[in-house]
PDB file of all heavy atoms in Angstrom:
ATOM      1  N   ASN C 156      25.597 -23.091 -17.189  1.00  0.00           N
ATOM      2  CA  ASN C 156      24.578 -22.305 -16.485  1.00  0.00           C
ATOM      3  C   ASN C 156      23.529 -23.166 -15.813  1.00  0.00           C
ATOM      4  O   ASN C 156      22.764 -22.677 -15.009  1.00  0.00           O
ATOM      5  CB  ASN C 156      23.903 -21.342 -17.456  1.00  0.00           C
ATOM      6  CG  ASN C 156      24.624 -20.017 -17.487  1.00  0.00           C
ATOM      7  OD1 ASN C 156      25.197 -19.609 -16.490  1.00  0.00           O
ATOM      8  ND2 ASN C 156      24.614 -19.369 -18.636  1.00  0.00           N
ATOM      9  N   LYS C 160      21.498 -25.751 -10.769  1.00  0.00           N
ATOM     10  CA  LYS C 160      20.183 -26.288 -10.397  1.00  0.00           C
ATOM     11  C   LYS C 160      20.269 -27.751  -9.970  1.00  0.00           C
ATOM     12  O   LYS C 160      19.413 -28.216  -9.212  1.00  0.00           O
ATOM     13  CB  LYS C 160      19.176 -26.093 -11.518  1.00  0.00           C
ATOM     14  CG  LYS C 160      19.253 -27.110 -12.639  1.00  0.00           C
ATOM     15  CD  LYS C 160      18.204 -26.811 -13.704  1.00  0.00           C
ATOM     16  CE  LYS C 160      18.173 -27.907 -14.753  1.00  0.00           C
ATOM     17  NZ  LYS C 160      17.475 -27.526 -15.970  1.00  0.00           N
ATOM     18  N   ARG C 162      23.221 -28.980  -8.564  1.00  0.00           N
ATOM     19  CA  ARG C 162      24.039 -28.932  -7.356  1.00  0.00           C
ATOM     20  C   ARG C 162      23.191 -28.591  -6.123  1.00  0.00           C
ATOM     21  O   ARG C 162      23.441 -29.102  -5.039  1.00  0.00           O
ATOM     22  CB  ARG C 162      25.157 -27.890  -7.502  1.00  0.00           C
ATOM     23  CG  ARG C 162      26.117 -28.169  -8.646  1.00  0.00           C
ATOM     24  CD  ARG C 162      27.232 -29.093  -8.262  1.00  0.00           C
ATOM     25  NE  ARG C 162      27.987 -28.627  -7.098  1.00  0.00           N
ATOM     26  CZ  ARG C 162      28.753 -29.417  -6.375  1.00  0.00           C
ATOM     27  NH1 ARG C 162      28.841 -30.697  -6.675  1.00  0.00           N
ATOM     28  NH2 ARG C 162      29.423 -28.935  -5.347  1.00  0.00           N
ATOM     29  N   MET C 163      22.220 -27.724  -6.330  1.00  0.00           N
ATOM     30  CA  MET C 163      21.439 -27.285  -5.162  1.00  0.00           C
ATOM     31  C   MET C 163      20.610 -28.429  -4.568  1.00  0.00           C
ATOM     32  O   MET C 163      20.169 -28.349  -3.432  1.00  0.00           O
ATOM     33  CB  MET C 163      20.545 -26.091  -5.498  1.00  0.00           C
ATOM     34  CG  MET C 163      19.429 -26.322  -6.486  1.00  0.00           C
ATOM     35  SD  MET C 163      17.886 -26.992  -5.838  1.00  0.00           S
ATOM     36  CE  MET C 163      17.282 -25.630  -4.894  1.00  0.00           C
ATOM     37  N   ASP C 166      22.334 -31.510  -1.257  1.00  0.00           N
ATOM     38  CA  ASP C 166      22.739 -31.497   0.152  1.00  0.00           C
ATOM     39  C   ASP C 166      21.606 -32.058   1.007  1.00  0.00           C
ATOM     40  O   ASP C 166      20.781 -32.819   0.523  1.00  0.00           O
ATOM     41  CB  ASP C 166      23.159 -30.107   0.629  1.00  0.00           C
ATOM     42  CG  ASP C 166      22.035 -29.110   0.546  1.00  0.00           C
ATOM     43  OD1 ASP C 166      20.877 -29.534   0.355  1.00  0.00           O
ATOM     44  OD2 ASP C 166      22.301 -27.913   0.652  1.00  0.00           O
TER      45      ASP C 166
ATOM     46  N   GLU S 254      30.751 -23.500  -2.650  1.00  0.00           N
ATOM     47  CA  GLU S 254      30.110 -23.870  -3.907  1.00  0.00           C
ATOM     48  C   GLU S 254      30.458 -22.782  -4.907  1.00  0.00           C
ATOM     49  O   GLU S 254      30.249 -21.605  -4.626  1.00  0.00           O
ATOM     50  CB  GLU S 254      28.596 -23.907  -3.672  1.00  0.00           C
ATOM     51  CG  GLU S 254      27.785 -24.482  -4.777  1.00  0.00           C
ATOM     52  CD  GLU S 254      27.990 -25.969  -4.958  1.00  0.00           C
ATOM     53  OE1 GLU S 254      28.373 -26.655  -3.990  1.00  0.00           O
ATOM     54  OE2 GLU S 254      27.797 -26.434  -6.079  1.00  0.00           O
ATOM     55  N   LYS S 328      13.335 -28.516  -3.929  1.00  0.00           N
ATOM     56  CA  LYS S 328      13.592 -29.298  -2.728  1.00  0.00           C
ATOM     57  C   LYS S 328      12.374 -30.135  -2.338  1.00  0.00           C
ATOM     58  O   LYS S 328      12.510 -31.245  -1.825  1.00  0.00           O
ATOM     59  CB  LYS S 328      13.958 -28.363  -1.575  1.00  0.00           C
ATOM     60  CG  LYS S 328      15.369 -27.819  -1.687  1.00  0.00           C
ATOM     61  CD  LYS S 328      16.365 -28.928  -1.444  1.00  0.00           C
ATOM     62  CE  LYS S 328      17.776 -28.386  -1.381  1.00  0.00           C
ATOM     63  NZ  LYS S 328      18.750 -29.483  -1.234  1.00  0.00           N
ATOM     64  N   TYR S 335      13.052 -26.137 -14.007  1.00  0.00           N
ATOM     65  CA  TYR S 335      13.099 -26.423 -15.435  1.00  0.00           C
ATOM     66  C   TYR S 335      14.331 -25.805 -16.077  1.00  0.00           C
ATOM     67  O   TYR S 335      15.057 -26.481 -16.786  1.00  0.00           O
ATOM     68  CB  TYR S 335      11.813 -25.907 -16.085  1.00  0.00           C
ATOM     69  CG  TYR S 335      11.827 -25.948 -17.586  1.00  0.00           C
ATOM     70  CD1 TYR S 335      11.754 -27.165 -18.257  1.00  0.00           C
ATOM     71  CD2 TYR S 335      11.924 -24.777 -18.325  1.00  0.00           C
ATOM     72  CE1 TYR S 335      11.773 -27.208 -19.636  1.00  0.00           C
ATOM     73  CE2 TYR S 335      11.937 -24.808 -19.704  1.00  0.00           C
ATOM     74  CZ  TYR S 335      11.864 -26.020 -20.362  1.00  0.00           C
ATOM     75  OH  TYR S 335      11.885 -26.058 -21.716  1.00  0.00           O
ATOM     76  N   HIS S 337      17.542 -22.970 -15.380  1.00  0.00           N
ATOM     77  CA  HIS S 337      18.282 -21.942 -14.651  1.00  0.00           C
ATOM     78  C   HIS S 337      18.525 -20.745 -15.556  1.00  0.00           C
ATOM     79  O   HIS S 337      18.565 -19.604 -15.098  1.00  0.00           O
ATOM     80  CB  HIS S 337      19.610 -22.528 -14.144  1.00  0.00           C
ATOM     81  CG  HIS S 337      20.236 -21.749 -13.028  1.00  0.00           C
ATOM     82  ND1 HIS S 337      21.339 -20.967 -13.193  1.00  0.00           N
ATOM     83  CD2 HIS S 337      19.873 -21.625 -11.726  1.00  0.00           C
ATOM     84  CE1 HIS S 337      21.658 -20.403 -12.037  1.00  0.00           C
ATOM     85  NE2 HIS S 337      20.775 -20.773 -11.125  1.00  0.00           N
ATOM     86  N   LYS S 338      18.624 -20.993 -16.846  1.00  0.00           N
ATOM     87  CA  LYS S 338      18.885 -19.896 -17.793  1.00  0.00           C
ATOM     88  C   LYS S 338      17.696 -18.938 -17.871  1.00  0.00           C
ATOM     89  O   LYS S 338      17.864 -17.725 -17.894  1.00  0.00           O
ATOM     90  CB  LYS S 338      19.196 -20.465 -19.181  1.00  0.00           C
ATOM     91  CG  LYS S 338      20.520 -21.199 -19.241  1.00  0.00           C
ATOM     92  CD  LYS S 338      20.960 -21.485 -20.652  1.00  0.00           C
ATOM     93  CE  LYS S 338      20.199 -22.613 -21.291  1.00  0.00           C
ATOM     94  NZ  LYS S 338      20.694 -23.947 -20.914  1.00  0.00           N
TER      95      LYS S 338
END
Side-chain angles (χ1 to χ4, degrees):
Chain C
N156 270 329
K160 80 180 186 196
R162 299 274 305 161
M163 66 84 70
D166 62 13
Chain S
E254 190 69 25
K328 285 290 187 184
Y335 171 71
H337 199 253
K338 291 193 285 279

